[in-house]
Amino acid sequence: MSAPAAPAIAPVNVIDVANIEVIYNHVILVLKGVSLTVPEGGIVALLGGNGAGKSTTLKAISNLLRSERGEVTKGQIHCRGERVDGLTPNDLVRRGVIQVMEGRHCFGHLTVEENLLTGAFIHGSKRRQIADDLEKVYHYFPRLRERRTSLAGYTSGGEQQMTAIGRALMSRPTTILLDEPSMGLAPQLVEEIFDIVKNLNEQERVSILLAEQNTNVALRFAHYGYILENGRIVLDGAAAALRENEDVKEFYLGVGGEGRRSFRDVKHYRRRKRWL
Amino acid sequence: MGFFLEVLIGGLLTGVLYSLVALGFVLIFKASGVFNFAQGAMVLMAGLALVQLIQPTYIGLWHFVGIGALVAAVAGLLVLRVLRGGTFAVVKGDWRVHLPMLVAVGAGLVGGLLALAGGAKGWPLWLAIPAAIAVMVAVAWVVERWVLRPLVNQEGIILFMATLGITFFIDGFSQTIFGSNVYPLNVGLSKDPVFLLESVFDGGILVNQLDISGAIIAGVLVAGLAVFFQKTRIGRALRAVADDHAAAQSVGIPLNWIWFIVWSVAGIVALVAAIVWGSKLGIQFSLTFLALKALPVLILGGFTSVPGAIVGGLLIGAGEKLAEVYFPALTKYVLGTAMPGGIEYWFAYVLALVFLLFRPQGLFGERIIERV
């Protein structure tokens, strides 16, 4: 794939999405040419409103799309230089790419610990390694150790989110696709979870692709950000730069520019599309 | 009192069989959301396979050799799969690409020869039962590969229709191969009646030994399944899939593999049901419609509950026998004339109807965990 010269200089991209188009049910075009890269060890935020296509992008990478009758019709997805569109989710987890789904999706009738153990499914019966990994997850999420024997369905939203992330960790991932970890959680918990994610990124060298609506928090923790609107990437840049960007401030962070402006003055591409 | 207990115990032991069939339903329904009408046909298939292997004189030698070869090929592939850590993946262009095929053909040849050698007097039980299990695993594989996988994500009703198709295919295909006789199955379970509790009641309680051994076998099976589901990695994965397909997929649990396993387990449950039922009444084609008897059991117990299937089966088994025996007496007492019997045939369905009206989720139906 890559040029033979100077491999040390060019950083490896763990995820490389090139111009993908996604169609659901053969008719609904959701992504209209999305490209993005996740460098090794980076936290990349994918931002945008409801229905912008954030989750779809993540599912296209992890290939959970197919079970929702979605399909990547154009473009390519590479993972460390290997083409991965067309592989099953199981293949991707074996390659170290795992998705934490939006809305937690814990196994409600399993205990917290059993939930974590299901994450180690691909490691078969390597008892030693699984026990070590379990210890590690409890180290990052001490709260889960207290709740280990509770049914996951009866734990709080925050604990479920931790269970979901911990479960993904049990597969020993190199990249986590994290979908809306802040959904439905109190700001304080959001902060706590993002801190842990940051720790994981720094200590375990896990790369993270984060889909978030909470632009404010996401841009504080991420290194780089992409803004998705209507299935297209409209803006991207280093997180710090995005935070200072006037458009991002106005549309996503909720801090307006100076004074009230007429809608007519807003450049057409910044307007929401209207009918009539 | 002694008579009442006798009827009750007889009913409960029949109920065990209903439970076994319902159990197969529940397993598949939980893991894949498919209502598998073919469970009864699978009981038939398992029974026929076992009978043919034990007593090969029933069918032509070459059919027998064919079955032997098929069984051996499946066993060979499974062994290969286990040895390779659950994957057939090989290097592209390597000769090993053809390894599964070679193993299948090789094992098939060996199996065929073995069958030829054993054809004259039939296989011993210790060989025939694993072979029958291999047949059921083969059925599971075929169903997963050629029916479930192409129909993934379809509506429940479409999958149900597909299982109806499987039912009649198995039913008809078995008749094509084996003819439509009733085959007695003898796996060495004693059929002699025994008297229990003779010291308590005058004359004791008459119970068929076969029923008791059947109940014990079923109990062992259920205990084994419970351990499998609670303690093993695959069992845990099965429960995870039952809870949330999408999440299970996201952590790398391959759904196809899980479906294959759960259909295999249902096949083994069907085999046990066939052994118990077949020892009692012989292996016959009406076994296919055991599925209809399992339906009220499921409604009573709840479609997703293993304990529900067991309790439901026992309730219906005992209930219909008691009703059959005592209803005419009751009508005589109330109406003055005894109504004829036949209640056995509709009791279960009326009971199920009452449950549908007042407790549609069944006795042990999904304990829905929902937090807002």
Side-chain angles (χ1 to χ4, degrees), chain B residues 27 43 88 115 159 168 188 204 278 296 308 332:
Chain B
L27 292 178
V43 174
F88 284 132
L159 291 164
F168 287 99
K332 182 159 190 194

Side-chain angles (χ1 to χ4, degrees), chain A residues 139-154:
Chain A
H139 164 73
Y140 280 103
F141 300 97
R143 224 197 265 210
L144 293 184
R145 195 196 295 274
E146 295 160 28
R147 304 303 307 267
R148 59 201 287 179
T149 53
S150 325
L151 287 187
Y154 289 131

Side-chain angles (χ1 to χ4, degrees), chain A residues 64 66-69 89-90 93 98-99 101 105 107-110 114 117-118 121-122 124 151 153-155 167, chain B residues 153-154 230 233-234 236-237 239-240 243-244 246-254 257-258 366-367 369 371:
Chain A
L64 291 172
R66 214 177 304 158
S67 52
E68 297 182 0
R69 305 205 202 176
N90 171 264
V93 175
I98 191 164
Q99 176 163 6
M101 295 174 78
H105 280 276
F107 304 119
H109 296 84
L110 273 62
E114 284 174 330
L117 289 175
T118 56
F121 183 83
I122 57 159
L151 287 187
Y154 289 131
T155 58
R167 187 174 65 187
Chain B
N153 282 332
Q154 296 287 350
Q230 295 300 327
R233 179 179 76 106
I234 301 279
R236 198 160 47 225
R239 283 188 294 143
D243 248 21
D244 191 330
Q249 233 182 338
S250 81
V251 294
I253 298 173
W257 177 227
I258 291 297
E366 189 85 302
R367 188 165 40 135
I369 296 183
R371 282 188 66 114

